[in-house]
Amino acid sequence: MTTTPTALLVHGAFADAGSWAGVVAELQNHGIPVIAPPNPLRGLASDAAYIASLAAQIDGPVVLVGHSYGGAVITVAGAAENVVGLVYIAAYVPEEGESLGELQGRFPLSPLVSNLKEWTYPVEGGQTAVEVTIQAEAFPGIFAADVPAPVTKALAVSQRPLSTSVFDETAATAAWQTKPSWALVAGADEAINPEVERFGAKRAGATTVELEGASHAVAVSRPKEVADLIRDAVRATS
């Protein structure tokens, strides 16, 4: 008997697990077990360790799905023994030893970079660290241009900030080197240059689809197409 892998959905920066709601519904309608945990967004190594720990506690095989920065997280967390596949949704796909800053720096920067707002938060030892969100007025066009305006307004004020440390941390491993991968490129992405997504997907040898006109928030605006790719991965690894 085959065991259907659990789809573990990892959100990226400036979003939360609720951004997967439409995708979760689609997968559940097709009988695919799914979990969408919070991603701490505090550091690549620590975030990946958290997701890998969750995956290891799931009975049976797991397909990791990462959106945006979540792609970097699953690249490292995918080394967990029971992870059988990786799905990248408008995501970074780093190489082992490569930082997101290095990967992004290969291509022209997206409008996101010049529209970030810096905040600080306390860390151990009485120190402070820097985190970023997208400026609220720029959020709709950069993150979710194909999402209805009332939804984007809510998303803009409920962003989960990302520690800036993640851009300099290097990936300790790249699970796509030994495990099959799939990728969805958002053709109208203004948060990550689509060329970054295409490059990473091609380098990983991922089975790739591209959605023309899709924004960075493709899981919100096009949940069926996102779920279809995840279903392909689940079927292939069952």
Side-chain angles (χ1 to χ4, degrees):
M1 292 181 66
T2 58
T3 302
T4 302
T6 296
L8 196 164
L9 314 182
V10 182
H11 68 81
F14 322 125
D16 60 25
S19 60
W20 292 113
V23 176
V24 168
E26 289 282 344
L27 294 175
Q28 289 178 333
N29 286 342
H30 287 89
I32 294 172
V34 58
I35 178 174
N39 179 3
L41 306 179
R42 281 294 168 257
L44 180 53
S46 60
D47 293 344
Y50 175 69
I51 294 300
S53 173
L54 283 177
Q57 294 175 70
I58 294 172
D59 289 332
V62 171
V63 168
L64 288 181
V65 183
H67 173 246
S68 189
Y69 161 68
V73 175
I74 70 168
T75 294
V76 179
E81 190 176 343
N82 63 327
V83 173
V84 294
L86 308 166
V87 184
Y88 295 92
I89 306 298
Y92 292 112
V93 190
E95 172 64 279
E96 182 178 341
E98 181 179 54
S99 71
L100 295 187
E102 290 168 337
L103 173 56
Q104 203 164 243
R106 294 171 180 263
F107 302 93
L109 295 177
S110 73
L112 170 73
V113 179
S114 58
N115 285 282
L116 293 174
K117 179 176 174 57
E118 290 192 353
W119 308 78
T120 60
Y121 64 97
V123 292
E124 288 183 10
Q127 303 298 308
T128 59
V130 179
E131 61 185 12
V132 288
T133 57
I134 303 172
Q135 293 179 9
E137 65 275 11
F139 184 93
I142 288 174
F143 199 88
D146 57 351
V147 175
V151 178
T152 26
K153 285 179 181 177
L155 294 176
V157 298
S158 58
Q159 297 178 57
R160 287 195 58 194
L162 176 70
S163 170
T164 56
S165 67
V166 305
F167 294 104
D168 298 320
E169 263 192 87
T170 57
T173 188
W176 51 259
Q177 292 178 340
T178 57
K179 297 180 181 182
S181 59
W182 289 257
L184 184 150
V185 174
D189 201 329
E190 294 287 331
I192 299 177
N193 184 336
E195 288 298 329
V196 174
E197 299 170 19
R198 294 184 191 108
F199 171 80
K202 183 177 180 181
R203 183 171 62 179
T207 300
T208 305
V209 298
E210 181 158 345
L211 294 186
E212 209 173 313
S215 76
H216 192 60
V218 62
V220 178
S221 63
R222 310 275 283 271
K224 184 183 184 303
E225 289 95 327
V226 170
D228 284 346
L229 185 63
I230 298 169
R231 285 171 58 209
D232 287 347
V234 167
R235 279 197 296 262
T237 54
S238 290

